[in-house]
Amino acid sequence: MEKIASFTVNHLDLLPGVYVSRKDHVGQEVLTTFDLRMCAPNREPVMNTAELHTIEHLAATYLRNEPHWKEKVIYFGPMGCRTGCYLILAGDYQSQDVVPLVRDTFRFIAEYEGEIPGAAAKDCGNYLDQNLPMARFLAKKYLAEALEHPTEKNLNYPE
């Protein structure tokens, strides 16, 4: 079998950032999948499931309520390797196009206080696996390392 595209990215040189992972065509629509890489793969500790789960709940809630983008959000969720998340948007976009959206999303997470949306037994299949303080910490780290002043290395996959 052929290697899928995400397994051809040089993870040894990959930095935290916002990358176009792939573009798919569904009828006339383009779906752009973004790799929101929060940890340097194989060089930093991966995120634990509790904080990643909290990031998922908060980001998905924010994105699906953001007035300009909510109708374009197809999916937000964690990577299996726990070094980041995927964001799928309806439309043909580049990394630079969504940095402001991703920045606002992670600022929301970094500053969030209160009950985590959807963290109740009737709303979530594993509602107790949450860690808001660590999610906030990781959101602040991602903002500082990749989102506040992104460079080409944070927006384009390494060769």
Side-chain angles (χ1 to χ4, degrees), residues 11 14-17 35-47 52 78-85 142:
H11 286 70
L14 190 58
L15 299 174
D35 170 337
L36 308 183
R37 193 65 60 149
M38 298 176 65
C39 304
N42 304 306
R43 299 181 306 283
E44 291 183 319
V46 299
M47 293 178 277
L52 192 52
M79 294 177 179
C81 63
R82 296 183 289 142
T83 62
C85 297
Y142 186 42

Side-chain angles (χ1 to χ4, degrees), residues 69-156:
W69 291 94
K70 67 182 181 180
E71 299 301 323
K72 297 173 176 81
V73 174
I74 303 301
Y75 174 78
F76 180 91
M79 294 177 179
C81 63
R82 296 183 289 142
T83 62
C85 297
Y86 287 114
L87 170 63
I88 304 174
L89 297 174
D92 188 357
Y93 300 106
Q94 299 303 317
S95 297
Q96 299 86 334
D97 300 329
V98 300
V99 166
L101 172 65
V102 176
R103 185 184 301 130
D104 290 346
T105 302
F106 280 85
R107 279 187 187 143
F108 172 78
I109 295 167
E111 298 168 2
Y112 190 83
E113 294 180 10
E115 296 296 316
I116 299 163
K122 66 180 181 63
D123 301 331
C124 177
N126 193 11
Y127 77 102
L128 294 174
D129 190 31
Q130 301 280 346
N131 186 340
L132 180 57
M134 196 63 186
R136 290 179 64 185
F137 172 84
L138 291 168
K140 289 174 189 172
K141 179 181 177 292
Y142 186 42
L143 282 162
E145 291 181 356
L147 301 176
E148 295 296 359
H149 305 287
T151 67
E152 288 301 310
K153 289 183 177 184
N154 304 110
L155 301 174
N156 296 296

Side-chain angles (χ1 to χ4, degrees), residues 3-68:
K3 229 185 226 191
I4 63 171
S6 62
F7 296 157
T8 65
V9 173
N10 180 354
H11 286 70
L12 297 174
D13 294 330
L14 190 58
L15 299 174
V18 177
Y19 305 96
V20 173
S21 175
R22 60 184 291 143
K23 293 187 182 190
D24 295 289
H25 297 268
V26 180
Q28 299 290 6
E29 189 70 63
V30 175
L31 300 181
T32 305
T33 300
F34 291 95
D35 170 337
L36 308 183
R37 193 65 60 149
M38 298 176 65
C39 304
N42 304 306
R43 299 181 306 283
E44 291 183 319
V46 299
M47 293 178 277
N48 291 314
T49 60
E51 49 262 31
L52 192 52
H53 191 197
T54 301
I55 289 168
E56 177 200 11
H57 275 238
L58 292 173
T61 299
Y62 179 84
L63 291 163
R64 289 189 175 99
N65 283 280
E66 202 287 331
H68 176 73

